[in-house]
Amino acid sequence: QVQLVESGGGLVQSGGSLTLSCTASVRTFSNYAMAWFRQAPGKGREFVAAINWRTNYTESVKGRFTISRDNNRNTLYLQMNSLKPEDTAVYYCAASRLRLGDQSYEYDYWGPGTQVTVSS
C-alpha cells in the first residue's frame, strides 16, 4: 500500500510561482512512476506531468512547470512558474507500479490533493 500526501498549494497572483511536494509512504519509491494531475471546478481530472527515468508534460504547462523527484526522500515535486488563472485547480499526486502514463486509470494510488488558486 502506498500513501501519498501533497503540500505546498495556496493562493498566488498571476505570473507567480509555487512548488508542490508529495511525500510517499512506501519502501520502494524509486520503483514507481509518479505523476501530477489536476481538477478544476466543474471539469474532469487532467494530466499535468509524470516522471520515472524520463519526464512527460501536458502541452499547456511545457516550459512553465518542472516535475522532479528525490528518491532518497520519497518525495515528488512540481515547480510551477508563470502561473495563470487557468492553472487554478486541486492538484493530485499519483503513483503507478507499471508505466509512465497520462491517463488517470493508469495510476494505482492517489493523494487527497492540494488547492492551487491563481488570481488575475
Side-chain angles (χ1 to χ4, degrees):
Q1 188 73 7
V2 178
Q3 292 185 327
L4 304 172
V5 179
E6 304 93 341
S7 61
L11 173 64
V12 64
Q13 289 188 333
S14 181
S17 298
L18 279 176
T19 300
L20 304 183
S21 299
C22 171
T23 301
S25 298
V26 64
R27 294 179 64 182
T28 55
F29 179 70
S30 60
N31 289 352
Y32 289 80
M34 300 296 297
W36 290 98
F37 286 77
R38 65 187 180 186
Q39 188 165 14
K43 295 188 177 181
R45 195 162 293 189
E46 175 192 26
F47 171 75
V48 177
I51 184 171
N52 49 14
W53 58 88
R54 60 182 180 89
T55 58
N56 185 28
Y57 295 91
T58 193
E59 194 65 33
S60 64
V61 308
K62 284 182 179 178
R64 301 189 298 122
F65 291 10
T66 302
I67 189 171
S68 62
R69 63 192 297 166
D70 184 339
N71 290 334
N72 291 324
R73 296 178 181 270
N74 282 16
T75 303
L76 175 73
Y77 302 98
L78 186 67
Q79 172 68 44
M80 305 185 293
N81 298 325
S82 302
L83 282 161
K84 305 175 181 180
E86 51 264 43
D87 295 317
T88 295
V90 177
Y91 282 71
Y92 298 91
C93 168
S96 171
R97 293 170 293 178
L98 295 178
R99 58 180 175 266
L100 192 73
D102 60 4
Q103 302 297 314
S104 58
Y105 69 81
E106 295 178 285
Y107 289 83
D108 308 292
Y109 304 101
W110 294 83
T114 186
Q115 176 71 46
V116 172
T117 303
V118 184
S119 63
S120 57

